[in-house]
Amino acid sequence: MSDSIIRSFTFKFRLFKQPKKIGDTFEHRSTTYLIIGIENFELLYEKVLKVSYICQNIQKRDFKRKVYKPSYQLKFKAKRKYDDSEGIKRLALGNIFNFKGESYKITEYMRINIEHVDISFSFLGRPVYPINPKEAKAKYISERKKKLQLEVL
């Protein structure tokens, strides 16, 4: 695992201490890592913030670069009180939220900040599109027929 260029590391921070952010570096077993993403977070006992980071070994430079084009995403910000555990849970990766009448799925965290008694989150959201109305109607009719056990002859 230590040969990997990309690794995951988890750190715990007391609630009112700033967590590490994307772009920060740190050393682990005499290897220097750069934080390139936030994988996940969890609030423990309303006193400790546990953050998992995606990190790159910046001492390794002998790898082939892979081209990756991310899908269309927007950046969002949210702020929650440190003791709003339900509100914080709703900001978990993969959750759906609505903004200006549109639905988005949380795909990636960009930053987590401590601001007095608030936790501020920056994250990316990917639009979630419904299927077109004709397909929805056809599916609905098909399911109703199954439920009513009707057959067309």
Side-chain angles (χ1 to χ4, degrees):
M1 183 88 171
S2 62
D3 289 354
S4 299
I5 294 168
I6 306 294
R7 287 192 57 186
S8 181
F9 286 93
T10 301
F11 293 94
K12 291 180 182 176
F13 304 93
R14 291 195 184 272
L15 192 55
F16 300 108
K17 182 179 184 253
Q18 274 310 333
K20 295 182 183 302
K21 57 186 180 284
I22 294 173
D24 287 352
T25 59
F26 65 94
E27 278 202 25
H28 176 72
R29 296 186 182 162
S30 68
T31 302
T32 305
Y33 290 92
L34 171 70
I35 296 174
I36 60 173
I38 299 172
E39 187 174 16
N40 208 345
F41 72 91
E42 185 178 357
L43 189 59
L44 306 173
Y45 317 113
E46 296 181 354
K47 293 181 181 180
V48 175
L49 185 64
K50 179 178 156 185
V51 184
S52 296
Y53 295 97
I54 302 167
C55 305
Q56 178 178 338
N57 177 345
I58 56 175
Q59 290 174 223
K60 280 195 167 191
R61 294 180 193 91
D62 58 342
F63 59 92
K64 293 181 181 177
R65 182 175 178 190
K66 295 180 182 176
V67 177
Y68 171 71
K69 289 186 178 181
S71 62
Y72 168 67
Q73 299 184 92
L74 295 174
K75 188 173 180 178
F76 294 93
K77 292 181 180 182
K79 191 182 281 191
R80 300 289 186 263
K81 294 276 186 218
Y82 78 95
D83 57 356
D84 181 9
S85 59
E86 286 303 313
I88 291 172
K89 284 179 186 176
R90 285 193 295 271
L91 294 174
L93 288 177
N95 283 357
I96 303 294
F97 67 97
N98 291 309
F99 180 73
K100 293 186 178 180
E102 299 292 326
S103 297
Y104 295 89
K105 179 179 180 178
I106 299 173
T107 57
E108 184 178 345
Y109 300 114
M110 301 303 292
R111 174 178 236 150
I112 299 174
N113 267 345
I114 305 295
E115 299 172 0
H116 304 289
V117 295
D118 297 331
I119 303 174
S120 176
F121 302 90
S122 294
F123 54 92
L124 294 178
R126 176 181 55 82
V128 178
Y129 300 107
I131 62 173
N132 75 47
K134 287 183 181 179
E135 287 180 48
K137 183 178 179 181
K139 183 70 173 168
Y140 175 73
I141 291 170
S142 172
E143 290 301 313
R144 291 290 294 166
K145 285 179 184 176
K146 284 182 191 175
K147 187 175 183 179
L148 298 172
Q149 297 175 352
L150 293 176
E151 286 186 32
V152 178
L153 299 175

